[in-house]
Amino acid sequence: SQQGEEDPQALSIQEGENATMNCSYKTSINNLQWYRQNSGRGLVHLILIRSNEREKHSGRLRVTLDTSKKSSSLLITASRAADTASYFCATANYGGATNKLIFGTGTLLAVQP
Amino acid sequence: DAGITQSPRHKVTETGTPVTLRCHQTENHRYMYWYRQDPGHGLRLIHYSYGVKDTDKGEVSDGYSVSRSKTEDFLLTLESATSSQTSVYFCAISAGEGNSPLHFGNGTRLTVT
């Protein structure tokens, strides 16, 4: 069964706008990771946030984590057409083999030029 | 693509035939994974390896077997392919436990007719 569920399933915005994607999960985690997938390619790691962290930044990416609500959000600021891709959250579960990641179903982001 | 090569990139096979997919890495990473990606399901873990000859099942392991005789190679075998195994298969590698991200290959598109 899927651990993470992303919301929305699809998002279309204009270039320059911000894009926010959300991820909810079910069990306690060690960390949560976000990945990006361009069409026809493998996933690329974007950012990792540990369970004891609440916010993390990397360039135009901002990730928040709320372990009390079992949710995370990924914000992409000043979006570009090149940001068009699918975005997945993945969790490494507490107490399990932390090298096993469970992925959500993804958010398809379309950035219109 | 972090030194990961999947072969073949595309394959069409008939129901009931055996199929082997290969993942080769040049990073000397300890952990290797096989995921399948299907619409509406995201990525699901099939099997993973935490060392030479050390493997374990993922959440969708039925109908699949794996082998890892060398650090650099991780083979996924469908003993008798079924139409439900039509999917895109991704190999991933990771340097270690805990907070290590996964690096993905570009996938193998398998069609079982």
Side-chain angles (χ1 to χ4, degrees):
Chain A
S1 62
Q2 298 301 121
Q3 163 74 314
E5 295 292 334
E6 286 91 340
D7 170 56
Q9 291 187 342
L11 179 62
S12 182
I13 60 174
Q14 296 295 314
E15 212 167 20
E17 295 179 340
N18 295 342
T20 299
M21 289 158 269
N22 303 296
C23 170
S24 60
Y25 57 92
K26 299 173 184 175
T27 61
S28 297
I29 61 172
N30 276 321
N31 67 68
L32 186 144
Q33 303 178 30
W34 285 91
Y35 288 79
R36 162 193 171 131
Q37 183 181 33
N38 290 91
S39 180
R41 307 279 294 185
L43 281 71
V44 175
H45 179 258
L46 294 176
I47 195 166
L48 180 153
I49 186 165
R50 295 177 173 79
S51 59
N52 61 354
E53 298 176 313
R54 292 296 166 260
E55 187 172 313
K56 202 161 184 180
H57 297 256
S58 176
R60 293 184 297 112
L61 305 180
R62 173 179 171 255
V63 170
T64 61
L65 179 64
D66 186 336
T67 54
S68 67
K69 295 181 180 178
K70 291 186 170 59
S71 67
S72 173
S73 67
L74 171 67
L75 169 67
I76 303 174
T77 60
S79 62
R80 306 165 181 168
D83 294 327
T84 294
S86 292
Y87 292 82
F88 295 87
C89 68
T91 54
N93 297 343
Y94 180 81
T98 57
N99 50 305
K100 285 171 55 177
L101 290 186
I102 305 298
F103 285 82
T105 53
T107 291
L108 179 59
L109 173 65
V111 182
Q112 308 299 330
Chain B
D1 293 329
I4 308 168
T5 304
Q6 290 187 234
S7 58
R9 290 296 314 278
H10 302 272
K11 186 170 182 66
V12 180
T13 191
E14 294 184 348
T15 298
T17 60
V19 177
T20 295
L21 308 183
R22 180 180 184 241
C23 178
H24 178 79
Q25 61 145 329
T26 58
E27 305 296 322
N28 200 37
H29 282 352
R30 178 183 175 189
Y31 293 91
M32 300 186 75
Y33 311 79
W34 279 107
Y35 285 86
R36 60 177 289 174
Q37 184 174 32
D38 304 287
H41 291 279
L43 278 84
R44 292 179 291 175
L45 181 63
I46 305 171
H47 282 280
Y48 72 104
S49 169
Y50 46 96
V52 173
K53 296 194 171 138
D54 292 324
T55 65
D56 203 353
K57 296 179 180 180
E59 57 183 308
V60 290
S61 59
D62 288 348
Y64 301 94
S65 62
V66 290
S67 66
R68 190 167 179 201
S69 58
K70 300 185 290 185
T71 297
E72 57 266 35
D73 289 326
F74 193 32
L75 304 180
L76 176 71
T77 297
L78 291 66
E79 299 292 346
S80 178
T82 68
S83 58
S84 65
Q85 293 176 312
T86 291
S87 185
V88 181
Y89 291 86
F90 286 98
C91 174
I93 64 175
S94 173
E97 296 184 19
N99 299 317
S100 298
L102 299 188
H103 303 281
F104 283 82
N106 281 325
T108 293
R109 183 174 295 275
L110 176 68
T111 302
V112 183
T113 61

